[in-house]
Amino acid sequence: MPKNGDIQFKSSSIKIPLSSPQTPKIPFSHLPFCSQSLTSTLNQAKFSITQFINSLKLHKNPIKLRAFPPPPLLCSSTLALTRTDDSTQPQPGVGGGGGAVEVSQAKAPVSRTLTEDEERVLISEVLVRNKDGEELERKDLESEALTALKACRANSALTVREVQEDVHRIIDSGYFSSCMPVAVDTRDGIRLVFQVEPNQEFRGLVCEGANVLPSKFVEDSFRDGYGKVVNIRRLDEVIDSINGWYMERGLFGMVSGVEILSGGILRLQIAEAEINDVSIRFLDRKTREPTVGKTKTETILRQLTTKKGQVYSLNQGKRDVETVLTMGIMEDVSIFPQPAGDTGKVDLVMNLVERVSGGFSAGGGISSGITSGPLSGLIGSFAYSHRNLLGKNQKVNVSLERGQIDSIFRINYTIPWIEGDDKRTQQSIMIQNSRTPGTLVHGNQPGNSNITIGRVTSGIEFSRPLRPKWSGTAGLTFQRAGARDEKGDPVIKDFYSSPLTASGNTHDNMLLAKCECGYTGDLGSSMLVFSMEQGLPILPEWLSFNRVNARARTGMDVGPANLLLSLSGGNVVGKFSPHEAFAIGGTNSVRGYEEGAVGSGRSYVVGCGEISFPLYGPVDGALFADYGTDLGSGPSVPGDPAGARLKPGSGYGYGFGIRVESPLGPLRLEYAFNDRQARRFHFGVGHRN
């Protein structure tokens, strides 16, 4: 469609006015029902042609089929039968002359109609003319009408049904608003003339009620038809494409009507289901009857992207249901649209069934830092949590984990969405007291004696989504850490005289500013995380260092198998505690080695390649290979704890294993070999870090 400098955009309509004034409009609605309007009119045509056959048997004068008054539809095809006066001779062309006497339908022998449908009348000539009986100005339209004819040909014998079918074919071509067959008994035989009324040429478009439908989409849909005769079949395709646009996006909208105005202007009416109101209704967990909920209504409503005044989207509603379920405080969520009276809008009711908001739990797990002892690695846990504090979805968790050596006591308070923030920022406050084994860096003590690292930590973090699948975190953490022997007494050096603290005191204090950015792909198979921590020396004895770390993982299908590649690396500069060095080796590092047995350094790189394949049901087999190195940075760690323990600094491992899908992620049981001809089993939960 050529550009029009008078295009105007007004709220819910797309308007392209033309210079010619609008005259009274011609109704052009209910386009999909043109074929239904033909049913009754073609029945009239059938009855009239039957009368025509009967009249030919009784009269030899010219007979003309005259149109009944057309119904108020764009598509029409009707017939009537009249007989000219005996004294009037037929004129060349279409019509007969003289006073016409109409033959009433009531006089037709109804009992003979059904049998005479198959009687044939010889037609000597077939023409296409306009409604006044004159030649069409556009020969291409005449050609379209003649091409549509199948049975009606010159020198052919026709039945009523065959004429009916050809009238239907002309209308079905889409170029004509009406078709009236007229038969004349001439000296050369009976001439059959199809008097047609072509549709107008398309000269402009007015689209009303379209709030979300892009104007460019509408203009592009009609562009090819500009300056051409309106074709109903093509118009139906355009309407289907517009309705399809709404369906693809899950929007409740459709074309509700089409009219053609004088001057070739189309008026397209769009009906969109605008949201009148969104309400929350809580249901009882057992009876599913309405009840009073503990969650504040505004806590739910702020999670919804569906708002009052929008066009209701089924896809958007589905995402809102998933978002509310992700809050962790609802057992069941559903949305029901209802008509908002006679306004043409919809009211949305979200039904919610709340979960039990708090309670105690107990469980167990495995610690990767313990590799020896009768209960090596086993830990137990006990926790109390409340998921919906004050009805605002705020969460409190108090937990205790205890193992052979490990112990962690943690209090965590989380606000999933800070009030007054429009970026979905989450706030988390944490206090933690932990004791973990120091074997990753300072293992292999004589007599299997153990060193534990005690940490008291408190901090605050803020995180929020940056864009789809991307998130960011920033926080501030204070940590006081020191080493203790098996008796619980503070120590500052290990058996190899390597220092256990950077300050030389029994404890190191540090204030860490943290920044992290992460990407998580679908189903968690792909991820990218980059983090940086900076020690802030607020006091002279506080540590000052910078640590960066990056992890990447991606998966791809290779036939029935899946290839998983992962890479991680990091570096630290400045004054830092030796037990904070990067440890290499173990279940989530280089398999085939014990935890931290490859080395520990200021820098590291670990890469892994793994291919898994289905075995039986939820069980998959896997082949893998790992490699890790400290990049020669082991001696730069204070006291060189890796060199004192003769760790190689680099190594590789390979092996096989099985994977079992579980709600916690893949359960991994693996058997690995390393480059030093050692072998060992590994067990892990979830994807490798």
Side-chain angles (χ1 to χ4, degrees):
M1 186 182 301
K3 294 184 178 179
N4 189 326
D6 295 331
I7 297 178
Q8 300 178 7
F9 300 93
K10 298 183 178 179
S11 62
S12 62
S13 66
I14 307 164
K15 193 168 185 179
I16 308 178
L18 297 180
S19 57
S20 59
Q22 295 183 3
T23 56
K25 60 189 178 184
I26 303 170
F28 189 58
S29 56
H30 309 297
L31 284 176
F33 309 105
C34 290
S35 58
Q36 297 179 10
S37 68
L38 289 175
T39 303
S40 60
T41 55
L42 288 178
N43 285 336
Q44 294 176 340
K46 175 179 176 181
F47 193 71
S48 300
I49 294 178
T50 301
Q51 290 180 321
F52 167 67
I53 294 175
N54 293 334
S55 300
L56 287 178
K57 297 178 179 179
L58 301 175
H59 305 281
K60 297 182 180 180
N61 297 325
I63 305 296
K64 182 176 75 172
L65 300 177
R66 181 175 60 81
F68 289 116
L73 293 173
L74 176 64
C75 307
S76 62
S77 155
T78 55
L79 298 174
L81 179 64
T82 59
R83 178 170 61 86
T84 59
D85 187 82
D86 291 343
S87 62
T88 305
Q89 297 300 321
Q91 300 293 328
V94 177
V101 179
E102 181 174 343
V103 180
S104 170
Q105 292 186 12
K107 297 180 181 179
V110 177
S111 60
R112 298 177 59 191
T113 299
L114 298 178
T115 58
E116 290 172 353
D117 281 351
E118 301 304 321
E119 295 187 24
R120 295 184 176 274
V121 176
L122 182 63
I123 301 298
S124 62
E125 187 177 11
V126 177
L127 301 176
V128 175
R129 295 291 185 264
N130 64 18
K131 63 181 181 180
D132 297 324
E134 300 173 351
E135 291 189 8
L136 294 177
E137 295 180 0
R138 297 186 54 162
K139 295 301 180 182
D140 57 332
L141 294 179
E142 181 179 340
S143 176
E144 289 287 347
L146 291 173
T147 302
L149 299 178
K150 182 177 180 181
C152 297
R153 295 284 188 268
N155 301 318
S156 60
L158 304 177
T159 64
V160 173
R161 182 181 296 109
E162 290 172 334
V163 175
Q164 279 182 294
E165 291 173 351
D166 274 351
V167 168
H168 194 287
R169 291 186 183 100
I170 290 176
I171 294 297
D172 197 45
S173 70
Y175 290 100
F176 307 97
S177 60
S178 65
C179 178
M180 180 177 64
V182 177
V184 178
D185 189 5
T186 67
R187 286 187 293 270
D188 297 327
I190 297 177
R191 175 187 299 137
L192 180 60
V193 180
F194 290 94
Q195 293 185 350
V196 297
E197 183 176 0
N199 297 327
Q200 299 184 61
E201 291 186 359
F202 175 46
R203 294 296 179 184
L205 172 68
V206 175
C207 183
E208 299 177 345
N211 290 305
V212 297
L213 183 66
S215 59
K216 188 177 186 303
F217 180 84
V218 178
E219 293 171 2
D220 289 345
S221 299
F222 284 92
R223 190 180 304 279
D224 293 341
Y226 186 80
K228 300 177 182 178
V229 172
V230 175
N231 186 293
I232 298 175
R233 297 179 64 180
R234 169 58 183 158
L235 191 56
D236 282 340
E237 293 175 0
V238 172
I239 292 173
D240 289 342
S241 70
I242 294 175
N243 291 339
W245 185 91
Y246 283 100
M247 291 182 63
E248 289 173 2
R249 290 154 181 81
L251 295 170
F252 277 36
M254 64 175 294
V255 178
S256 60
V258 183
E259 290 180 333
I260 185 169
L261 311 177
S262 262
I265 299 177
L266 290 180
R267 185 166 73 180
L268 193 68
Q269 295 177 327
I270 305 294
E272 296 178 343
E274 181 181 330
I275 299 173
N276 179 66
D277 188 32
V278 181
S279 59
I280 303 297
R281 181 169 58 188
F282 293 95
L283 303 180
D284 185 80
R285 296 181 65 224
K286 296 181 179 179
T287 65
R288 289 303 195 265
E289 294 294 328
T291 186
V292 178
K294 298 178 181 179
T295 307
K296 294 184 180 297
T297 301
E298 55 270 20
T299 301
I300 301 298
L301 291 178
R302 71 188 306 223
Q303 298 284 341
L304 308 182
T305 58
T306 301
K307 304 294 184 182
K308 179 179 178 180
Q310 296 178 347
V311 175
Y312 178 57
S313 167
L314 192 62
N315 296 340
Q316 192 174 9
K318 181 180 179 181
R319 289 193 297 269
D320 285 340
V321 168
E322 294 173 350
T323 299
V324 174
L325 285 173
T326 305
M327 296 171 65
I329 57 177
M330 297 299 165
E331 184 176 289
D332 187 43
V333 181
S334 58
I335 292 181
F336 291 94
Q338 299 175 344
D342 298 329
T343 62
K345 300 181 180 181
V346 295
D347 288 333
L348 298 184
V349 179
M350 175 171 278
N351 290 332
L352 304 175
V353 179
E354 293 180 304
R355 297 174 57 185
V356 176
S357 57
F360 294 91
S361 63
I366 297 177
S367 171
S368 62
I370 304 175
T371 58
S372 62
L375 300 175
S376 63
L378 293 180
I379 59 174
S381 64
F382 181 80
Y384 171 79
S385 62
H386 198 293
R387 306 183 187 92
N388 195 12
L389 192 66
L390 305 176
K392 297 182 177 181
N393 194 31
Q394 298 177 4
K395 306 178 188 300
V396 174
N397 183 276
V398 180
S399 64
L400 173 65
E401 296 180 4
R402 189 75 171 87
Q404 182 182 1
I405 297 177
D406 301 51
S407 68
I408 301 176
F409 176 74
R410 180 188 295 114
I411 301 175
N412 199 72
Y413 172 66
T414 302
I415 303 176
W417 189 350
I418 299 175
E419 291 187 22
D421 175 75
D422 61 349
K423 303 296 184 181
R424 292 181 177 266
T425 302
Q426 174 180 294
Q427 175 185 321
S428 180
I429 299 175
M430 174 268 298
I431 300 175
Q432 177 177 293
N433 188 350
S434 65
R435 187 180 67 174
T436 58
T439 54
L440 294 178
V441 177
H442 299 280
N444 297 330
Q445 294 283 111
N448 290 327
S449 61
N450 291 311
I451 290 178
T452 59
I453 308 298
R455 296 179 177 89
V456 176
T457 307
S458 63
I460 182 171
E461 286 187 351
F462 298 89
S463 61
R464 76 180 197 189
L466 302 178
R467 55 182 304 177
K469 301 182 182 180
W470 286 88
S471 62
T473 301
L476 199 63
T477 302
F478 176 81
Q479 178 176 289
R480 178 180 174 87
R484 294 180 179 271
D485 59 18
E486 290 182 321
K487 298 179 181 180
D489 297 328
V491 292
I492 60 174
K493 290 186 178 182
D494 63 13
F495 175 80
Y496 298 95
S497 297
S498 298
L500 297 174
T501 62
S503 63
N505 301 321
T506 57
H507 292 86
D508 286 332
N509 297 321
M510 62 194 80
L511 181 64
L512 301 176
K514 176 184 178 181
C515 181
E516 181 177 290
C517 180
Y519 167 86
T520 303
D522 296 331
L523 303 179
S525 61
S526 297
M527 69 93 174
L528 173 65
V529 178
F530 177 83
S531 64
M532 181 177 67
E533 293 176 317
Q534 176 64 53
L536 305 177
I538 304 300
L539 296 179
E541 63 272 18
W542 289 9
L543 303 186
S544 174
F545 63 91
N546 179 273
R547 176 168 49 203
V548 296
N549 199 5
R551 305 188 308 274
R553 181 180 66 238
T554 185
M556 64 189 75
D557 292 330
V558 183
N562 180 265
L563 177 63
L564 187 67
L565 302 174
S566 64
L567 181 68
S568 60
N571 182 63
V572 59
V573 295
K575 188 177 181 180
F576 72 107
S577 302
H579 55 77
E580 297 286 349
F582 296 111
I584 308 168
T587 301
N588 289 316
S589 182
V590 180
R591 287 163 285 191
Y593 282 90
E594 292 186 5
E595 302 296 326
V598 173
S600 55
R602 285 180 175 266
S603 304
Y604 86 103
V605 172
V606 172
C608 167
E610 179 176 299
I611 186 167
S612 60
F613 44 87
L615 290 179
Y616 179 78
V619 181
D620 290 347
L623 300 173
F624 59 84
D626 306 328
Y627 175 78
T629 175
D630 63 7
L631 300 175
S633 64
S636 64
V637 177
D640 188 14
R645 289 159 179 79
L646 302 179
K647 295 182 180 180
S650 64
Y652 64 85
Y654 56 91
F656 57 89
I658 61 174
R659 308 282 184 269
V660 180
E661 290 297 329
S662 75
L664 301 177
L667 302 180
R668 302 183 284 124
L669 179 62
E670 300 157 337
Y671 189 65
F673 307 83
N674 66 24
D675 54 338
R676 300 199 167 200
Q677 287 74 50
R679 62 193 70 181
R680 60 184 294 109
F681 280 100
H682 294 274
F683 177 76
V685 179
H687 293 288
R688 285 168 53 90
N689 293 332

